[in-house]
Amino acid sequence: MKRLINLSFILLLTIGSVNCTYNNNTSKDYFAPVPVHYYAEFPFEMDEIPIPEFPDYSVNITEFGAVSDGETLNTEAISKAIDDVSNNGGGTVVIPRGIWLTGPIILKSNINLHVEKGALVKFSDNFDHYPLVETVFEGLDTWRAISPIYAKGVENIAITGEGIFDGSGGAWRPVKKFKVTEDHWEELIESGGVLSDDGRVWYPTEASKMGDPGTFNVPPNRETKEDYEEVRDFLRPVLVSIRESKNILLDGPTFQNSPAWNINPLMSENIILRNLTVRNPEYAQNGDGLDISSSKNVLVYNNSFDVGDDAICIKSGKNEDGRQRGVPTENVIIRDNSVYHAHGGFVVGSEMSGDVRNIHVADLTFMGTDVGIRFKSTRGRGGVVENIQIENIHMIDMVTEPIRFNLYYGGEMPTPNQKAEIVDKKKLQEQIPEVNEETPRFRDISIKNVYSFNSKTALWIQGLPEMSVRNVRMENMKLTASRGGMIMDAEDILMKNVDIEVNEGPVLFLNNVHSISLEDMNIGFAEDAGAGTGIRLVGPFSESVRLMGVRFTNTAEETSIGPNVGKGVLKRQEK
């Protein structure tokens, strides 16, 4: 079968990558200390993350027979270079300018893999070069093809430089018809592959199609390696998998065109990711940028993301596998990053069964992202997400909302017309599940200094009837949107000094909310929009909604209360 390679995507990024080469007198210090203020402004204790150090021993892959013609397979040469440096106590393996075709690169302890300016490491699109390994993907214990860059159980490693790693993801990924142009779709069909039964998804091979479970990406009812071998073509690897390792630095390179997720630290600690460019085509299925999974002590700063799925994502295992593993993601600092296209800019979930805590996010910019700040989970996950601090976020042209909590997540991408799950608690009281270990919990989350302009919806917060989203503080925010926001099944919510201006109301729709305080807010409609309702309150289980110093602009009615709301639930006070 002829495999389709998007050469224009590769060449565009190759030409655009510029900076310094690696030598002892390089103008860029890849091992510079982290700015001290990054450790000074967050509400949890965390030691400074050590910068890896390497002996002054360096080899060039050309010394071991590597050829930069874009056709010669250099897997063995790169492996020999890594072995040589490892056997000499550690140091640097240099990949110089050129186009280097290779299979998987397996890192060892005390190795700095340095890819120079003008170097393109192009991973082979031959699936036979990627044997299956036991791993964790989407939070489940499973088998996947080995990652193009792979490390397990290592210490003191780095990937540095200004070159590019390209995962040849187009050879692996299925493509959904609605995500591409008609011309692109026709090119895919002409290249070979097979279509789904409904003709809406293109697969590179029949085995890839056979492995697709329809929802998510871990084929069910398969236990042994032999079971998974039948559908190996579907078991797309993440581009960079670093698992059960510590003292890790990624500084400088571009990582692009991944078969599945792009960069995935898994059950690792002491990780610094900085000055990276992370890219995937907009249509890249599961083309996440960064997925920090069950890891601790992580610093992510000064990176750029333009990807096909979530950009910066926090995970900790899925359902029973994740709960039994019991390894949280904790102590994570995310600062000074930019996100262009992505399903979510900063994301927690949906795999959060091993808990997520102590996350500080600040000074991020999102441009044209589907959702800005995204929390997602569903029944069955369990786990606790808590102590999350988010501040100083600027967004423009969010396709849906700047802020979204969705505890009914089912694998779908966020869309502007997604409907809320409206539940009549009184009618369905006996059907609402009991709270148990499978119930996800989101609580103690602070979001402040947020500026979002021209989103589709102002915000979306939806908990579960049996477990509200709890203790969320939103302060100092300005939101403009086409339509108003919604808060449902939420408790102990504070919105203070928040301005919301929309074209279509109600500006805020509140349903079955408990202990909601709206203070010092400006709520209203744009001057050229028709007047509508400011706040609409419904739900027989709504309790204690307090408005203090709330100002309404261009509204036909300031508040509207549904007939099933108890008397005195909504109280207004002037300051």
Side-chain angles (χ1 to χ4, degrees):
M1 183 199 75
K2 176 185 174 184
R3 292 198 176 99
L4 189 70
I5 300 175
N6 192 339
L7 290 177
S8 60
F9 179 73
I10 296 168
L11 292 174
L12 174 64
L13 294 181
T14 305
I15 293 168
S17 177
V18 294
N19 216 307
C20 60
T21 57
Y22 183 88
N23 56 63
N24 291 333
N25 299 311
T26 179
S27 60
K28 179 173 175 59
D29 182 3
Y30 294 100
F31 307 102
V34 172
V36 251
H37 70 276
Y38 282 0
Y39 293 108
E41 302 166 356
F42 52 90
F44 50 86
E45 293 185 3
M46 175 176 164
D47 293 332
E48 292 190 13
I49 301 172
I51 304 289
E53 297 180 356
F54 301 94
D56 189 19
Y57 180 80
S58 175
V59 302
N60 191 304
I61 61 171
T62 58
E63 299 173 36
F64 299 85
V67 179
S68 64
D69 58 6
E71 297 180 353
T72 302
L73 192 66
N74 293 294
T75 313
E76 184 177 356
I78 296 173
S79 178
K80 286 181 177 179
I82 291 172
D83 288 345
D84 178 82
V85 173
S86 178
N87 293 336
N88 281 278
T92 301
V93 173
V94 177
I95 301 178
R97 174 183 288 273
I99 299 178
W100 309 91
L101 180 66
T102 183
I105 296 174
I106 301 176
L107 296 177
K108 295 186 175 182
S109 295
N110 303 312
I111 296 293
N112 170 28
L113 183 65
H114 184 84
V115 55
E116 289 188 341
K117 179 188 75 171
L120 169 63
V121 179
K122 183 72 169 64
F123 288 98
S124 166
D125 62 3
N126 185 335
F127 298 167
D128 292 338
H129 293 156
Y130 302 87
L132 296 187
V133 294
E134 282 190 284
T135 187
V136 175
F137 186 66
E138 291 187 339
L140 299 175
D141 298 322
T142 187
W143 290 81
R144 305 290 291 189
I146 193 170
S147 289
I149 301 175
Y150 182 78
K152 180 180 179 181
V154 302
E155 297 183 21
N156 200 57
I157 62 170
I159 305 175
T160 61
E162 306 304 319
I164 298 171
F165 293 96
D166 186 285
S168 293
W172 294 84
R173 292 188 301 261
V175 177
K176 294 182 177 179
K177 184 176 182 179
F178 77 90
K179 291 186 176 183
V180 298
T181 66
E182 190 63 36
D183 286 346
H184 189 168
W185 183 251
E186 292 301 323
E187 288 177 9
L188 287 169
I189 294 174
E190 290 175 7
S191 73
V194 295
L195 295 180
S196 60
D197 293 343
D198 62 7
R200 296 178 180 178
V201 182
W202 175 88
Y203 296 92
T205 68
E206 184 66 41
S208 176
K209 175 184 175 180
M210 186 171 66
D212 192 347
T215 303
F216 300 104
N217 293 280
V218 176
N221 305 318
R222 294 180 185 272
E223 298 181 2
T224 66
K225 182 179 181 181
E226 289 70 27
D227 292 336
Y228 284 95
E229 287 283 4
E230 294 178 351
V231 293
R232 182 178 59 166
D233 295 5
F234 180 75
L235 305 177
R236 299 171 285 137
V238 302
L239 176 55
V240 182
S241 175
I242 301 174
R243 57 173 301 179
E244 299 166 74
S245 300
K246 63 182 180 180
N247 300 345
I248 301 156
L249 170 69
L250 273 62
D251 187 346
T254 292
F255 297 92
Q256 69 180 40
N257 202 14
S258 54
W261 300 344
N262 212 309
I263 301 171
N264 180 210
L266 171 64
M267 294 183 286
S268 295
E269 61 182 288
N270 298 341
I271 304 163
I272 298 174
L273 309 173
R274 62 189 184 188
N275 307 314
L276 307 177
T277 299
V278 182
R279 298 195 64 179
N280 267 325
E282 184 173 330
Y283 58 85
Q285 191 71 12
N286 314 112
D288 293 24
L290 169 64
D291 294 89
I292 303 167
S293 304
S294 297
S295 295
K296 67 179 181 179
N297 302 335
V298 183
L299 178 56
V300 181
Y301 70 96
N302 198 33
N303 304 291
S304 173
F305 297 86
D306 192 350
V307 295
D309 207 309
D310 291 329
I312 304 169
C313 196
I314 308 296
K315 300 178 180 289
S316 67
K318 183 176 179 180
N319 298 352
E320 186 177 359
D321 281 3
R323 294 193 299 272
Q324 288 186 348
R325 207 177 298 121
V327 182
T329 290
E330 58 186 338
N331 302 344
V332 179
I333 304 169
I334 299 170
R335 299 284 300 265
D336 296 314
N337 299 282
S338 298
V339 178
Y340 297 88
H341 180 270
H343 287 344
F346 167 75
V347 184
V348 176
S350 71
E351 304 95 291
M352 35 63 69
S353 304
D355 298 342
V356 172
R357 55 179 173 257
N358 299 345
I359 313 293
H360 178 66
V361 181
D363 305 313
L364 271 56
T365 302
F366 304 145
M367 295 155 282
T369 311
D370 290 349
V371 180
I373 300 164
R374 186 184 190 193
F375 296 89
K376 56 182 179 177
S377 188
T378 192
R379 292 175 176 132
R381 294 287 191 268
V384 179
V385 173
E386 61 185 347
N387 197 21
I388 314 294
Q389 184 185 75
I390 302 170
E391 59 185 340
N392 305 334
I393 312 296
H394 291 77
M395 318 182 211
I396 189 167
D397 298 333
M398 297 298 99
V399 176
T400 59
E401 305 89 13
I403 300 169
R404 170 183 283 213
F405 289 76
N406 179 14
L407 270 64
Y408 287 88
Y409 178 72
E412 70 284 350
M413 64 180 287
T415 61
N417 298 315
Q418 183 171 340
K419 302 297 183 183
E421 294 286 342
I422 305 295
V423 176
D424 188 326
K425 285 188 177 182
K426 284 194 170 180
K427 289 183 179 179
L428 300 180
Q429 195 73 43
E430 295 181 0
Q431 299 179 29
I432 295 175
E434 294 183 0
V435 174
N436 56 31
E437 67 173 2
E438 296 185 353
T439 307
R441 296 164 170 83
F442 287 73
R443 64 194 184 202
D444 304 336
I445 297 168
S446 170
I447 306 173
K448 64 182 181 180
N449 304 335
V450 171
Y451 305 90
S452 173
F453 303 100
N454 195 35
S455 66
K456 179 67 176 180
T457 306
L459 76 158
W460 175 306
I461 299 177
Q462 182 167 25
L464 295 170
E466 69 274 19
M467 179 56 64
S468 297
V469 173
R470 294 181 174 174
N471 192 24
V472 177
R473 299 175 63 91
M474 292 174 280
E475 303 179 71
N476 306 330
M477 296 166 53
K478 184 173 180 61
L479 313 175
T480 68
S482 297
R483 63 190 182 200
M486 179 198 73
I487 303 177
M488 182 186 304
D489 291 317
E491 181 176 349
D492 293 326
I493 306 296
L494 170 67
M495 298 184 75
K496 184 175 182 179
N497 193 26
V498 176
D499 296 349
I500 305 176
E501 181 182 276
V502 303
N503 295 317
E504 178 185 339
V507 180
L508 275 180
F509 177 79
L510 308 178
N511 185 4
N512 288 327
V513 293
H514 311 260
S515 301
I516 305 294
S517 293
L518 308 180
E519 302 179 9
D520 299 320
M521 292 182 62
N522 292 305
I523 290 176
F525 293 84
E527 290 185 4
D528 56 350
T533 301
I535 296 174
R536 170 71 173 167
L537 174 63
V538 301
F541 294 89
S542 288
E543 297 178 3
S544 185
V545 177
R546 183 173 69 100
L547 279 60
M548 183 162 61
V550 176
R551 296 164 292 277
F552 295 89
T553 305
N554 299 330
T555 54
E557 57 178 351
E558 295 181 348
T559 60
S560 170
I561 300 176
N564 55 359
V565 177
K567 185 177 181 180
V569 169
L570 178 66
K571 296 181 179 180
R572 294 188 62 173
Q573 298 176 250
E574 299 300 326
K575 289 199 68 175

